[in-house]
Amino acid sequence: MTQQNLEQLMAIAQTRLDNLLKRANQPEEQRRSQDSHAVLLSEAITEISISLEELNVLVEELQQQNEELIATRQQVDAERQRYLDLFNFAPDAYLVTGVDGLIQEANYVAAQLLNVRHSYLIGKPLTVFVHPQERQNFRSLKLQLQQEGQIRITELHIFHNEGSTDFPAEVTAVIERDRTGKVTSLRWLFRNISDRKQAERKIREQAALIDVATDAIFVCDLENQILFWSQGAERLYGWTTEESLSKTTHQLFYKESLLPLEAGLKATIEQGSWQGELEQITKTGREIIVASRLTLVRDESGKPQSILAVNTDITEKKQIEQQFYRSQRLESIGTLASGIAHDLNNVFAPILMIAQFLPSRFKNADRQNLELFKTIETSAERGAGLVKQILTFAHGTEGKRILLNPGYLLQELLKVINQTFPKSIEVRIDIPINTLWMVRTNPTQLDQVFMNLVVNARDAMPNGGILTITAENRIIDQTFAQMHLDAKTGSYIVVTISDTGTGIPPEFLERIFDPFFTTKEIGKGTGLGLSTVLGIIKNHDGFVQVSSQVSKGTKFQVFLPTIEQSVT
């Protein structure tokens, strides 16, 4: 029942009560005349009692409604306060503007974000807090907002305190309408994304560092499936990111034994990390040696998730180490050979002298004995020559050196080749005599070097092939010198002698310069030819490089330092 109905009932009851009192105050005679109305009076009293009871009920209902109204109002106030708390203390900046762009409401975060007092914001145009270069874009956003009703996440640069500093902000907005559909206000949400932008920039920088790194960096799961592949890995192995992500490391790097890799993976899972050397292959089939570092990556719960691998190509480093060890071995062998050669020289010298003296001592010796004397002399001379070769390898022999263009020696050598080599061997030359630099050398020794190399090339092509002889000028820089143990920076003449013969097996390649080591049949080589070549060239401050593939041929490169001097 409403307040109005209650007031009406109270008015009726009051009227009836007033009439009753008037009748009670009338004279006796008049009351008697009104006895006929007693029944009416009784009924009126009954009605008044009923009205009073109804009035009490209505009062109780009204009190209950008032209590409910108070509770509802308190609940509304609490909800409103909760909303204000959420509005003011939200982590993002909330602003309400009119259609004219003036700020009507703003939370505390908005004031803090814009570096102003909260009261300062009210009534200010929101545009003044937008970077001048983006205000035209902001106007377009307002127009889009009014047309579409909302703006999804976009970015703007916002000013602190009308222009002191700016920061990137993420903007979301919606419009408010009244019952008629008219736009009444615009609600804006601004979120400072400076930290996120900085994190994204840091991620991009780290990604750029990973891509420019010379090491191969990749991530694989516990089943060896590639998950991430850096540009350094592309450069080292030749596999693109698209090609590698569909394969496992077993498929990419290995053709033979997987034991070292499996041992490394097991140690990584058990201990969290592992490092060691692995022999791998590239996409083109080139064999490389890498220093591998594996690290176990765990998820948030600590469960092993993936393996991060960083591989460094140390193939050249290992080659330099082999060159160093070979140089040490040859130096040791040279020292030993020198001592043996001197002792042998002391042995062969009296034998040779006696062999030459015997014919004059025994003048009546028959033909058979003379042949024996000659055999002794010849054998002694061969032994002395062998000793001489050993000494040449061990220490080199100075001899007389002159300024010389190696091209002339190679031309003379070509004449010998054309006269004595089989016709099944095709000879190709590229010797620019007029432009070659000069070297200071002993012509006989250098001729011996070239002759040994071409004879070896001939022997490697029993069924014919191609013999190529080239000479060129070359400048060796610091990078090349660091990669080759015996090389020094400066100008060189490089003489290359290559063949298409049988090649040298990899297991023999490191021993070819050792004295008395040969792959030829017994009686067809002493094993001192390449040893002599190396001794002569090292005595000239040069070095020799060799590369070979079985059934494809061998290439020797002789590097001789040049002299900056002209000769007539």
Side-chain angles (χ1 to χ4, degrees), residues 86-146:
L86 291 174
F87 180 77
N88 286 321
F89 298 104
D92 300 319
Y94 289 95
L95 299 105
V96 180
T97 66
V99 179
D100 55 3
L102 298 181
I103 299 175
Q104 298 174 350
E105 296 180 51
N107 64 353
Y108 294 141
V109 176
Q112 183 180 7
L113 194 65
L114 299 174
N115 197 26
V116 295
R117 298 188 310 276
H118 183 266
S119 59
Y120 177 85
L121 289 174
I122 308 304
K124 289 289 188 298
L126 181 57
T127 311
V128 301
F129 297 101
V130 179
H131 195 284
Q133 295 180 356
E134 296 197 22
R135 286 177 182 171
Q136 183 61 40
N137 184 28
F138 180 68
R139 297 186 186 97
S140 301
L141 287 177
K142 286 177 59 179
L143 180 61
Q144 177 186 349
L145 177 61
Q146 295 180 18

Side-chain angles (χ1 to χ4, degrees), residues 344-345 348-349 352 378-389:
L344 288 176
N345 195 42
F348 284 116
L352 182 58
T378 302
S379 299
E381 288 177 348
R382 289 180 58 189
L386 201 59
V387 169
K388 185 177 180 181
Q389 282 187 293

